[in-house]
PDB file of all heavy atoms in Angstrom:
ATOM      1  N   ASP A 227      10.365  -5.378   4.125  1.00 95.00           N
ATOM      2  CA  ASP A 227      11.352  -5.498   5.196  1.00 95.00           C
ATOM      3  C   ASP A 227      10.845  -6.510   6.212  1.00 95.00           C
ATOM      4  O   ASP A 227       9.789  -7.128   6.024  1.00 95.00           O
ATOM      5  CB  ASP A 227      11.575  -4.129   5.851  1.00 95.00           C
ATOM      6  CG  ASP A 227      12.993  -3.957   6.370  1.00 95.00           C
ATOM      7  OD1 ASP A 227      13.627  -4.977   6.690  1.00 95.00           O
ATOM      8  OD2 ASP A 227      13.461  -2.815   6.471  1.00 95.00           O
ATOM      9  N   SER A 228      11.579  -6.673   7.295  1.00 96.00           N
ATOM     10  CA  SER A 228      11.165  -7.593   8.353  1.00 96.00           C
ATOM     11  C   SER A 228      11.737  -7.145   9.680  1.00 96.00           C
ATOM     12  O   SER A 228      12.698  -6.366   9.735  1.00 96.00           O
ATOM     13  CB  SER A 228      11.632  -9.021   8.036  1.00 96.00           C
ATOM     14  OG  SER A 228      13.050  -9.095   8.090  1.00 96.00           O
ATOM     15  N   ILE A 229      11.134  -7.621  10.761  1.00 96.00           N
ATOM     16  CA  ILE A 229      11.659  -7.418  12.108  1.00 96.00           C
ATOM     17  C   ILE A 229      11.749  -8.792  12.771  1.00 96.00           C
ATOM     18  O   ILE A 229      10.888  -9.647  12.552  1.00 96.00           O
ATOM     19  CB  ILE A 229      10.798  -6.452  12.947  1.00 96.00           C
ATOM     20  CG1 ILE A 229       9.333  -6.927  13.006  1.00 96.00           C
ATOM     21  CG2 ILE A 229      10.893  -5.033  12.407  1.00 96.00           C
ATOM     22  CD1 ILE A 229       8.452  -6.075  13.900  1.00 96.00           C
ATOM     23  N   PRO A 230      12.791  -9.044  13.560  1.00 94.00           N
ATOM     24  CA  PRO A 230      13.017 -10.374  14.131  1.00 94.00           C
ATOM     25  C   PRO A 230      12.163 -10.660  15.361  1.00 94.00           C
ATOM     26  O   PRO A 230      12.660 -11.044  16.417  1.00 94.00           O
ATOM     27  CB  PRO A 230      14.507 -10.338  14.468  1.00 94.00           C
ATOM     28  CG  PRO A 230      14.773  -8.912  14.803  1.00 94.00           C
ATOM     29  CD  PRO A 230      13.896  -8.106  13.883  1.00 94.00           C
ATOM     30  N   VAL A 231      10.882 -10.461  15.236  1.00 96.00           N
ATOM     31  CA  VAL A 231       9.948 -10.688  16.329  1.00 96.00           C
ATOM     32  C   VAL A 231       8.702 -11.359  15.764  1.00 96.00           C
ATOM     33  O   VAL A 231       8.260 -11.033  14.663  1.00 96.00           O
ATOM     34  CB  VAL A 231       9.546  -9.363  17.021  1.00 96.00           C
ATOM     35  CG1 VAL A 231       8.686  -9.643  18.236  1.00 96.00           C
ATOM     36  CG2 VAL A 231      10.764  -8.560  17.411  1.00 96.00           C
ATOM     37  N   GLY A 232       8.135 -12.316  16.507  1.00 96.00           N
ATOM     38  CA  GLY A 232       6.939 -12.996  16.026  1.00 96.00           C
ATOM     39  C   GLY A 232       6.153 -13.619  17.155  1.00 96.00           C
ATOM     40  O   GLY A 232       6.261 -13.222  18.326  1.00 96.00           O
ATOM     41  N   GLY A 233       5.378 -14.633  16.811  1.00 96.00           N
ATOM     42  CA  GLY A 233       4.485 -15.255  17.769  1.00 96.00           C
ATOM     43  C   GLY A 233       5.187 -15.900  18.948  1.00 96.00           C
ATOM     44  O   GLY A 233       4.647 -15.942  20.059  1.00 96.00           O
ATOM     45  N   ASN A 234       6.415 -16.402  18.737  1.00 96.00           N
ATOM     46  CA  ASN A 234       7.153 -17.012  19.847  1.00 96.00           C
ATOM     47  C   ASN A 234       7.491 -15.996  20.935  1.00 96.00           C
ATOM     48  O   ASN A 234       7.596 -16.355  22.116  1.00 96.00           O
ATOM     49  CB  ASN A 234       8.436 -17.664  19.336  1.00 96.00           C
ATOM     50  CG  ASN A 234       8.180 -18.985  18.640  1.00 96.00           C
ATOM     51  OD1 ASN A 234       7.104 -19.566  18.759  1.00 96.00           O
ATOM     52  ND2 ASN A 234       9.156 -19.465  17.894  1.00 96.00           N
ATOM     53  N   HIS A 235       7.682 -14.745  20.553  1.00 97.00           N
ATOM     54  CA  HIS A 235       7.964 -13.708  21.548  1.00 97.00           C
ATOM     55  C   HIS A 235       6.739 -13.444  22.419  1.00 97.00           C
ATOM     56  O   HIS A 235       6.862 -13.163  23.611  1.00 97.00           O
ATOM     57  CB  HIS A 235       8.426 -12.420  20.864  1.00 97.00           C
ATOM     58  CG  HIS A 235       9.786 -12.539  20.227  1.00 97.00           C
ATOM     59  ND1 HIS A 235       9.967 -13.128  19.008  1.00 97.00           N
ATOM     60  CD2 HIS A 235      11.013 -12.153  20.661  1.00 97.00           C
ATOM     61  CE1 HIS A 235      11.252 -13.104  18.695  1.00 97.00           C
ATOM     62  NE2 HIS A 235      11.907 -12.524  19.686  1.00 97.00           N
ATOM     63  N   ILE A 236       5.563 -13.543  21.821  1.00 98.00           N
ATOM     64  CA  ILE A 236       4.328 -13.423  22.612  1.00 98.00           C
ATOM     65  C   ILE A 236       4.252 -14.563  23.620  1.00 98.00           C
ATOM     66  O   ILE A 236       3.920 -14.355  24.796  1.00 98.00           O
ATOM     67  CB  ILE A 236       3.094 -13.424  21.687  1.00 98.00           C
ATOM     68  CG1 ILE A 236       3.110 -12.207  20.760  1.00 98.00           C
ATOM     69  CG2 ILE A 236       1.806 -13.457  22.500  1.00 98.00           C
ATOM     70  CD1 ILE A 236       2.001 -12.204  19.729  1.00 98.00           C
ATOM     71  N   THR A 237       4.559 -15.767  23.159  1.00 97.00           N
ATOM     72  CA  THR A 237       4.536 -16.925  24.056  1.00 97.00           C
ATOM     73  C   THR A 237       5.554 -16.770  25.180  1.00 97.00           C
ATOM     74  O   THR A 237       5.265 -17.089  26.348  1.00 97.00           O
ATOM     75  CB  THR A 237       4.821 -18.214  23.266  1.00 97.00           C
ATOM     76  OG1 THR A 237       3.888 -18.328  22.187  1.00 97.00           O
ATOM     77  CG2 THR A 237       4.701 -19.441  24.164  1.00 97.00           C
ATOM     78  N   ASN A 238       6.749 -16.292  24.851  1.00 97.00           N
ATOM     79  CA  ASN A 238       7.763 -16.052  25.883  1.00 97.00           C
ATOM     80  C   ASN A 238       7.273 -15.042  26.918  1.00 97.00           C
ATOM     81  O   ASN A 238       7.514 -15.199  28.125  1.00 97.00           O
ATOM     82  CB  ASN A 238       9.064 -15.552  25.243  1.00 97.00           C
ATOM     83  CG  ASN A 238       9.881 -16.681  24.648  1.00 97.00           C
ATOM     84  OD1 ASN A 238       9.871 -17.794  25.141  1.00 97.00           O
ATOM     85  ND2 ASN A 238      10.590 -16.383  23.573  1.00 97.00           N
ATOM     86  N   ASP A 239       6.590 -14.003  26.450  1.00 97.00           N
ATOM     87  CA  ASP A 239       6.048 -12.999  27.373  1.00 97.00           C
ATOM     88  C   ASP A 239       5.046 -13.629  28.334  1.00 97.00           C
ATOM     89  O   ASP A 239       5.057 -13.345  29.543  1.00 97.00           O
ATOM     90  CB  ASP A 239       5.368 -11.871  26.588  1.00 97.00           C
ATOM     91  CG  ASP A 239       6.350 -11.018  25.803  1.00 97.00           C
ATOM     92  OD1 ASP A 239       7.549 -11.055  26.133  1.00 97.00           O
ATOM     93  OD2 ASP A 239       5.920 -10.328  24.862  1.00 97.00           O
ATOM     94  N   LEU A 240       4.178 -14.482  27.802  1.00 97.00           N
ATOM     95  CA  LEU A 240       3.191 -15.159  28.653  1.00 97.00           C
ATOM     96  C   LEU A 240       3.879 -16.088  29.646  1.00 97.00           C
ATOM     97  O   LEU A 240       3.499 -16.155  30.826  1.00 97.00           O
ATOM     98  CB  LEU A 240       2.213 -15.956  27.788  1.00 97.00           C
ATOM     99  CG  LEU A 240       1.284 -15.145  26.875  1.00 97.00           C
ATOM    100  CD1 LEU A 240       0.533 -16.073  25.922  1.00 97.00           C
ATOM    101  CD2 LEU A 240       0.302 -14.324  27.695  1.00 97.00           C
ATOM    102  N   SER A 241       4.903 -16.787  29.177  1.00 97.00           N
ATOM    103  CA  SER A 241       5.641 -17.698  30.049  1.00 97.00           C
ATOM    104  C   SER A 241       6.276 -16.958  31.211  1.00 97.00           C
ATOM    105  O   SER A 241       6.222 -17.407  32.369  1.00 97.00           O
ATOM    106  CB  SER A 241       6.708 -18.437  29.232  1.00 97.00           C
ATOM    107  OG  SER A 241       7.515 -19.252  30.053  1.00 97.00           O
ATOM    108  N   GLU A 242       6.874 -15.808  30.926  1.00 96.00           N
ATOM    109  CA  GLU A 242       7.531 -15.018  31.974  1.00 96.00           C
ATOM    110  C   GLU A 242       6.506 -14.368  32.904  1.00 96.00           C
ATOM    111  O   GLU A 242       6.671 -14.351  34.127  1.00 96.00           O
ATOM    112  CB  GLU A 242       8.419 -13.947  31.336  1.00 96.00           C
ATOM    113  CG  GLU A 242       9.645 -14.487  30.630  1.00 96.00           C
ATOM    114  CD  GLU A 242      10.593 -15.177  31.587  1.00 96.00           C
ATOM    115  OE1 GLU A 242      10.729 -14.703  32.740  1.00 96.00           O
ATOM    116  OE2 GLU A 242      11.182 -16.204  31.205  1.00 96.00           O
TER     117      GLU A 242
END
Side-chain angles (χ1 to χ4, degrees):
D227 211 333
S228 67
I229 55 176
V231 186
N234 284 345
H235 291 80
I236 297 174
T237 305
N238 280 328
D239 291 341
L240 293 171
S241 175
E242 291 296 323

